Amino acid sequence: MTSAKTATPSDTAAGQKVVVIGAGIVGANVGLALLDKGYDVTILDRGEPGMGASFGNAGGIAVSECAPVAMPGVLKNVPGWLMDPLGPLSVRWGYLPKMMPWLLMFLASSKKQRVEQIATNMATLLNRAWDDYDPVLKEAGLTDAVFKKHGAMAVYRSNASRQAAEYAIDLRRRNGIKLRDLTRDEVRDIEPDLAPIFACGVMEEDWGHVLDPFKITTGIFKHFLDRGGKFETADVTNFVFRDGKPRAATTDAGDMITFDHVVVACGAWSKTLAKRLGSPVPLDTERGYNTTVPYHDAKLSRMIVCADDSFVLSPLEMGIRVGGAVELGGLLAAPNYERAKALFAKGKEVLPKLNAEGGTEWMGFRPSMPDSTPVISKSPHHANAYFAFGHGHLGLTLGATTGRLVADLMATGKTPVDMTPYRINRFSRFYSI
Ligand SMILES: Cc1cc2nc3c(=O)[nH]c(=O)nc-3n(C[C@H](O)[C@H](O)[C@H](O)COP(=O)(O)OP(=O)(O)OC[C@H]3O[C@@H](n4cnc5c(N)ncnc54)[C@H](O)[C@@H]3O)c2cc1C
């Protein structure tokens, strides 16, 4: 594999100006990978780098999560989502009409044949995530002290709930994911502070986690600047086209920032700019909540995935983070922190020594496609426009892989994997274009 450090700058890249819009974990990685190819790169963000979804996520390098959110049989859960606003997946009634097209595509993605394809497409990316991250982290000086690579443990309250998860587990095993079944006693031995309520577990061997997701994004971003990358604060609203090609980004302040190539990496906010570049896309947000409490008595050695209730516990640098869940409610509604509190209460059932004192709550906008698959794509309309968004639950995990693939697409068009499953126009049959 070509390491980030040894990548050879391409002749065509020299002197070419690239603008990357969005300074989250995806934009920072894309910017760095493009510098490696020899481009002159400027990242734009309307806010501080790393303050979007990349700020407060669970920190999982969740390489075993190739199964999509919409699994076979998901349809029967829809009434429950509508009725229980604090359940693992809920829909805000007021947003339902707007969300309907996305939900229909989500349900269409839950057909078994599609799920099998999606899992394989995701495993193709996830199985290379560590190989792509390792050189980036090393080069940026973000070593073992900030990354832990010792698996995550999924826990099940009953053998029946483990059995109910069998299809998802088998699907992952068939895609090369290393999963090891654990008995009740093994679960207790591995994490003695967990309540004795779990019948069994599954060790997700290759999973890792970062000790502070914000520090990873800002660490990669700082390295990007140290290597000669540039940053400008700019809220991009549109593009200027010349000879049919986008040539500049325009901002809400009335500025115009010219480029040879542009990459849209605005996370959950990418939809408007993608449309302005001629590519309407069914991107929405799965809002997620968590609470982070400082360390008191509770201890964990690794991330715990509470499979029955769809939330995770992460032992981070600043404390234990309890969160997850999905709220379909768009980008504008105010957070409902009752959700964070409900998740924390569940966390306390699992880890009784958790102490709420000094805790902070957070809500973030996962950028989500209906098929749980990111858009990593060249524009079908403009030879100089690229997209890198829609990573849903896995943006941190796939940051470096996305950077590498976008840089390859731009520099040579030759990528180590077939990019067809990640193209932006895969849902275009739903649009009148
Ligand atoms: C509760 C929760 C837990 C999660 N846990 C995990 C996990 O354990 N592992 C994992 O891999 N992923 C996890 N995720 C998902 C992960 O956080 C996201 O997929 C990832 O952060 C997306 O990164 P991004 O760079 O695409 O977007 P963001 O980090 O949201 O960055 C987008 C940036 O674009 C900027 N922007 C937007 N519009 C414009 C504009 N018009 N002009 C200029 N700038 C603009 C924003 O200001 C922002 O800085 C979790 C998410 C949540 C909410």
Side-chain angles (χ1 to χ4, degrees):
M1 197 198 68
T2 315
S3 85
K5 198 160 196 169
T6 55
T8 320
S10 115
D11 291 341
T12 51
Q16 296 267 303
K17 181 174 176 187
V18 184
V19 156
V20 178
I21 311 170
I25 189 68
V26 173
N29 271 291
V30 168
L32 189 59
L34 287 168
L35 280 186
D36 276 321
K37 297 286 186 191
Y39 291 99
D40 170 8
V41 188
T42 302
I43 298 182
L44 309 179
D45 201 294
R46 61 186 175 201
E48 247 181 81
M51 291 302 288
S54 304
F55 175 77
N57 60 53
I61 304 298
V63 295
S64 36
E65 293 302 301
C66 67
V69 179
M71 291 292 277
V74 75
L75 185 59
K76 69 175 185 319
N77 299 325
V78 173
W81 300 344
L82 293 172
M83 299 325 296
D84 180 4
L86 302 181
L89 198 157
S90 71
V91 186
R92 288 214 179 180
W93 278 98
Y95 194 65
L96 190 59
K98 270 206 154 158
M99 191 86 203
M100 204 44 101
W102 188 96
L103 272 173
L104 292 175
M105 291 180 228
F106 176 81
L107 292 175
S109 303
S110 72
K111 293 200 180 101
K112 194 164 174 193
Q113 201 186 355
R114 275 296 291 138
V115 167
E116 294 279 330
Q117 276 171 1
I118 291 167
T120 301
N121 299 337
M122 289 307 291
T124 300
L125 300 180
L126 291 165
N127 286 336
R128 48 176 304 129
W130 283 117
D131 285 345
D132 289 325
Y133 253 129
D134 281 338
V136 171
L137 299 171
K138 206 164 159 200
E139 195 196 321
L142 299 164
T143 51
D144 293 354
V146 290
F147 262 77
K148 298 289 165 203
K149 218 174 176 177
H150 46 202
M153 185 165 69
V155 286
Y156 298 83
R157 286 181 189 244
S158 67
N159 288 322
S161 70
R162 162 66 184 80
Q163 199 45 44
E166 182 55 28
Y167 172 65
I169 289 174
D170 178 58
L171 178 66
R172 290 190 284 161
R173 283 197 169 123
R174 283 189 279 114
N175 280 289
I177 310 289
K178 280 190 248 148
L179 302 172
R180 179 165 51 92
D181 275 299
L182 300 169
T183 62
R184 179 188 297 272
D185 290 345
E186 285 171 322
V187 168
R188 294 241 41 202
D189 289 348
I190 292 167
E191 296 294 350
D193 277 3
L194 289 187
I197 55 175
F198 296 108
C200 56
V202 170
M203 184 60 79
E204 314 207 2
E205 310 266 17
D206 289 332
W207 187 303
H209 76 273
V210 305
L211 292 185
D212 184 342
F214 179 61
K215 276 195 187 164
I216 295 301
T217 303
T218 49
I220 293 170
F221 178 73
K222 179 180 176 305
H223 184 60
F224 163 81
L225 295 180
D226 292 346
R227 290 270 315 271
K230 286 165 249 170
F231 175 73
E232 281 182 44
T233 302
D235 187 349
V236 177
T237 49
N238 209 339
F239 298 97
V240 174
F241 292 80
R242 217 171 307 122
D243 302 327
K245 266 188 174 182
R247 287 297 182 195
T250 53
T251 74
D252 72 336
D255 295 327
M256 207 167 81
I257 300 160
T258 57
F259 53 73
D260 296 301
H261 307 270
V262 66
V263 184
V264 176
C266 298
W269 298 272
S270 300
K271 188 173 174 158
T272 308
L273 294 183
K275 193 168 178 194
R276 299 222 191 283
L277 290 168
S279 290
V281 66
L283 176 75
D284 214 296
T285 181
E286 293 174 74
R287 299 149 60 109
Y289 291 83
N290 55 42
T291 304
T292 309
V293 292
Y295 285 105
H296 297 286
D297 297 329
K299 295 277 176 299
L300 288 176
S301 65
R302 69 200 70 223
M303 276 180 77
I304 303 298
V305 180
C306 298
D308 304 301
D309 298 305
S310 305
F311 72 97
V312 298
L313 295 149
S314 312
L316 304 181
E317 190 174 83
M318 68 298 269
I320 295 184
R321 184 163 288 170
V322 185
V326 166
E327 180 186 56
L328 303 177
L331 291 166
L332 301 178
N336 170 12
Y337 285 114
E338 289 308 311
R339 290 191 67 88
K341 290 180 183 46
L343 286 167
F344 188 76
K346 285 188 173 165
K348 214 169 149 45
E349 272 176 36
V350 169
L351 191 63
K353 289 184 191 163
L354 266 185
N355 181 339
E357 206 182 310
T360 50
E361 294 170 335
W362 180 77
M363 193 267 282
F365 298 98
R366 296 185 191 93
S368 299
M369 296 293 288
D371 56 358
S372 303
T373 304
V375 171
I376 307 171
S377 177
K378 186 170 177 153
S379 161
H381 307 294
H382 305 293
N384 64 335
Y386 299 80
F387 304 100
F389 59 77
H391 295 72
H393 296 236
L394 294 168
L396 171 64
T397 307
L398 291 174
T401 298
T402 303
R404 159 92 200 259
L405 293 173
V406 170
D408 283 348
L409 275 177
M410 195 181 291
T412 60
K414 293 194 187 89
T415 49
V417 301
D418 173 15
M419 299 303 290
T420 312
Y422 321 108
R423 69 200 187 283
I424 192 160
N425 56 351
R426 62 185 187 265
F427 285 97
S428 61
R429 66 185 184 284
F430 292 96
Y431 295 91
S432 52
I433 51 166

